[in-house]
Amino acid sequence: MAGRSARLGAGLHQTWRRSLQVRVVTITLVASSMLVGGFAYLIADKITNILLENAETDVLARLHSGSEYAAKQFSLYGQPQEAQLQDTIDGTVNYLAGGDPQQTSGVVVAITADRFTGVITPRTSPDVQVRPLISPELRASVAGRSVVAHQIRTGTLAGKRTKYLVYGSPVPTRFGQLELYYLVPLARQDATAADARATVVATGVALVLLLGLLAALVTRLVVTPVRVAARTAQRLSAGLLDQRMVVNGEDDLALLAASFNQMATNLQRQILRLEEMSRLQRRFTSDVSHELRTPLTTVRMAADLIFAERDEFDPAVARSAELLQAELDRFEELLTDLLEISRFDAGFAMLDSEPTDLVPVVHRVADRLAGLAERVGVTIELDLPATPAIAEVDPRRVERVLRNLVGNAVEHGEAKPVLITLGMDASAVAITVRDHGVGLKPGEEKLVFNRFWRADPSRARQTGGTGLGLSISLEDARLHGGWLEAWGAPGQGAQFRLTLPARAGDRLTTSPLRLVPADAALPFGGPRTGGLLAIGPGSAGGLTVDPAGDGDRAEVQS
């Protein structure tokens, strides 16, 4: 039962949050119910008071008339013991009761003599016991203080329980004071008030329901175009650029639909224009790269010949030959990278996965860059498992990624050691490259994978790179379904982590290695400083951010 109530509450809460129409109708019903309820209470109370006041006015007039009549009848007697007095009281009571124009109204008339108990017998017409309906307080006011007083009492007379309006008045005589009471039933007034309350409540309920229905209809007129616009926007975001809203009429909602359609048309035109420009740019890059191959081959042959004979030239010409050879090497690498980028952009890049031991791959990369590291005074340290680390990857692409990462770490290592760590678990394999150089400033971790981006534009390249290495590495990681992530902090260096699924096609959830290195500073006991960007397949082309650096990830839509 509790679970069902919890599910019902959760469903209602979700409906409340998601439906504007439900919120508007509910608020309208609650507000109108409170307003109509208060108004109905005031109306019913006013009707009841009017009926009671009319009854009191009528009874009070009859009481004054009856009191004067009784006083005239009793003015002939000077002593309460006179023999004819009791008969006169009986006749007066019967006369006053018979004077009621509505003989079936149930009005009771009573004359009592509290000051002459035992001498004068109280009389009522009709003959019923009225003492329970005349309270001691009312008797004290009428008989004791000689004032006109009244009360509303409920009692049983003639076997029927009824509410009565009881009025009492003193009747002065020569021998003292008697008391005259009128007991008027309020059944007719109560029935009239109940009918009025029922009518007011029914009218109020109908009015509230009508207001709720009206609010639902008005809200639907407003919400429906908004929902249509939301669905159309979702289709547009899914790539269906020809979707449009139907324009009906000339009101504000029609203006909204027309403006939305105009916006969608402009967006479609701009997107198609950008797609065409992108296609032309990719084709231009690919064509230029291919077309440059032929003259570059000729220049390369001539440069190789000059470079081979440089010892026979004077030192200045020999140095020029060396520089020409180095720049031609860089130019060839740039053309190769441009062709690779164009294949990624065109979606033609293919993955040749095979079971590969990554330990020898890391060794090959370290050996190839040992000369550069020695030249700049950097030591490359390896932390590799003793057992093979087998994963289904494209070894050429993984080696290229590691070569770019380690080359960058050596170039920015500031003559401090570079550590390469390899880790693996049942579902993934990870490689981290840690340097202790200048690090990354806040925000630069978002730019480090951009094409041709450099942290310090004035810094001379040691490796003669093209500026596309990390961009290509990022695309290689995405092609594997993996992550390429960066962490860095000023003065603490940087660390890059490559995480790949152990089996091709599997989805990554965690990484075997931490992204934030264990030796990173923890200022004020808070989280590690520095930027953190984890880029992987994600969902909808988004960025995957790891705020703690421990492999637990959250996806952020871009």
Side-chain angles (χ1 to χ4, degrees):
M1 185 65 181
R4 182 180 302 175
S5 300
R7 288 192 299 271
L8 179 60
L12 292 176
H13 179 68
Q14 187 177 19
T15 303
W16 173 267
R17 292 188 58 186
R18 290 186 174 182
S19 177
L20 176 63
Q21 187 174 13
V22 170
R23 292 199 300 271
V24 172
V25 172
T26 302
I27 293 173
T28 302
L29 288 176
V30 172
S32 60
S33 297
M34 295 177 62
L35 181 62
V36 172
F39 183 73
Y41 173 80
L42 293 177
I43 293 296
D45 185 68
K46 188 67 175 178
I47 292 174
T48 302
N49 291 336
I50 291 174
L51 291 174
L52 183 60
E53 289 175 0
N54 291 338
E56 290 177 350
T57 302
D58 179 66
V59 174
L60 192 59
R62 295 170 63 178
L63 182 66
H64 286 314
S65 176
S67 178
E68 291 176 358
Y69 176 80
K72 290 180 181 180
Q73 296 297 317
F74 302 148
S75 63
L76 300 176
Y77 301 97
Q79 295 295 329
Q81 295 86 2
E82 295 186 24
Q84 300 297 323
L85 177 60
Q86 189 66 48
D87 294 337
T88 302
I89 292 174
D90 294 344
T92 301
V93 168
N94 292 330
Y95 174 79
L96 294 178
D100 181 15
Q102 299 181 3
Q103 296 297 329
T104 60
S105 62
V107 177
V108 179
V109 180
I111 294 179
T112 64
D114 288 353
R115 297 182 181 182
F116 303 102
T117 304
V119 179
I120 299 176
T121 303
R123 288 288 185 266
T124 62
S125 180
D127 189 11
V128 293
Q129 181 58 254
V130 298
R131 180 169 290 275
L133 293 176
I134 303 175
S135 66
E137 293 81 5
L138 183 60
R139 288 179 177 276
S141 298
V142 176
R145 293 193 293 273
S146 301
V147 296
V148 177
H150 73 280
Q151 282 184 338
I152 296 178
R153 302 276 292 178
T154 301
T156 302
L157 293 180
K160 185 178 181 180
R161 187 170 183 81
T162 311
K163 183 168 65 174
Y164 285 88
L165 175 61
V166 183
Y167 257 93
S169 174
V171 178
T173 65
R174 290 170 55 192
F175 56 82
Q177 175 182 292
L178 301 180
E179 298 85 37
L180 174 65
Y181 293 96
Y182 273 83
L183 290 79
V184 180
L186 297 177
R188 181 168 56 86
Q189 288 80 0
D190 286 345
T192 303
D195 292 341
R197 285 193 295 269
T199 302
V200 171
V201 169
T203 304
V205 171
L207 181 60
V208 169
L209 294 178
L210 181 61
L211 289 175
L213 179 61
L214 182 62
L217 293 176
V218 173
T219 308
R220 182 180 178 84
L221 291 176
V222 177
V223 170
T224 299
V226 175
R227 291 175 176 171
V228 172
R231 288 194 294 267
T232 306
Q234 291 174 351
R235 296 191 187 102
L236 288 173
S237 65
L240 303 176
L241 301 179
D242 58 341
Q243 296 295 308
R244 298 293 184 270
M245 294 180 60
V246 178
V247 180
N248 295 319
E250 299 179 356
D251 55 8
D252 295 336
L253 296 177
L255 179 60
L256 171 64
S259 301
F260 185 91
N261 291 341
Q262 184 63 36
M263 178 192 67
T265 301
N266 293 336
L267 285 176
Q268 182 182 20
R269 185 182 301 115
Q270 292 295 328
I271 290 174
L272 292 177
R273 178 172 172 269
L274 291 175
E275 287 180 349
E276 180 64 18
M277 292 177 60
S278 177
R279 186 185 65 82
L280 293 175
Q281 182 182 17
R282 291 195 301 268
R283 183 171 180 178
F284 175 78
T285 302
S286 178
D287 291 345
V288 168
S289 300
H290 282 92
E291 292 299 328
L292 286 178
R293 282 293 183 184
T294 301
L296 180 60
T297 302
T298 304
V299 174
R300 164 62 71 180
M301 294 173 60
D304 289 343
L305 181 60
I306 296 173
F307 184 76
E309 301 294 334
R310 68 184 184 281
D311 293 337
E312 300 179 2
F313 303 145
D314 58 79
V317 177
R319 179 56 181 164
S320 299
E322 293 174 354
L323 293 175
L324 177 61
Q325 186 74 8
E327 290 303 317
L328 281 175
D329 290 340
R330 184 169 180 270
F331 191 39
E332 282 188 334
E333 293 178 3
L334 178 59
L335 283 180
T336 302
D337 289 346
L338 285 174
L339 286 172
E340 189 69 22
I341 283 289
S342 66
R343 280 193 289 269
F344 280 119
D345 291 341
F348 294 150
M350 301 297 294
L351 189 68
D352 297 326
S353 298
E354 59 184 55
T356 304
D357 185 2
L358 295 180
V359 174
V361 175
V362 174
H363 278 293
R364 284 199 303 270
V365 172
D367 292 341
R368 289 191 57 180
L369 294 173
L372 173 63
E374 184 178 357
R375 189 164 63 249
V376 298
V378 171
T379 302
I380 299 178
E381 300 176 354
L382 303 180
D383 182 6
L384 307 178
T387 58
I390 307 296
E392 295 180 6
V393 298
D394 187 335
R396 179 183 65 87
R397 296 183 183 277
V398 172
E399 185 172 344
R400 180 168 60 189
V401 172
L402 294 179
R403 191 165 59 248
N404 285 322
L405 296 181
V406 177
N408 284 337
V410 170
E411 182 179 350
H412 298 87
E414 298 292 325
K416 297 177 182 178
V418 171
L419 175 62
I420 305 175
T421 305
L422 174 61
M424 188 175 184
D425 58 21
S427 61
V429 60
I431 302 173
T432 60
V433 179
R434 171 78 163 112
D435 69 72
H436 299 81
V438 295
L440 296 174
K441 298 176 183 178
E444 290 184 345
E445 73 280 356
K446 300 178 182 179
L447 307 173
V448 70
F449 296 101
N450 290 351
R451 299 174 185 181
F452 301 108
W453 183 84
R454 297 178 65 183
D456 184 3
S458 63
R459 183 185 181 92
R461 292 188 182 272
Q462 301 293 331
T463 60
T466 64
L468 297 173
L470 288 179
S471 299
I472 295 176
S473 299
L474 173 61
E475 298 297 338
D476 283 332
R478 285 175 172 171
L479 197 61
H480 282 85
W483 306 330
L484 182 56
E485 304 161 285
W487 171 90
Q492 299 189 55
Q495 178 161 294
F496 287 79
R497 180 177 68 180
L498 173 66
T499 307
L500 303 175
R503 288 174 296 276
D506 287 358
R507 180 179 177 83
L508 290 177
T509 55
T510 58
S511 178
L513 299 177
R514 294 178 58 88
L515 177 58
V516 180
D519 59 351
L522 292 171
F524 309 110
R528 291 180 172 88
T529 60
L532 173 58
L533 183 68
I535 302 182
S539 62
L543 298 182
T544 309
V545 177
D546 181 2
D550 55 4
D552 296 332
R553 306 165 68 83
E555 292 183 352
V556 180
Q557 299 301 321
S558 58

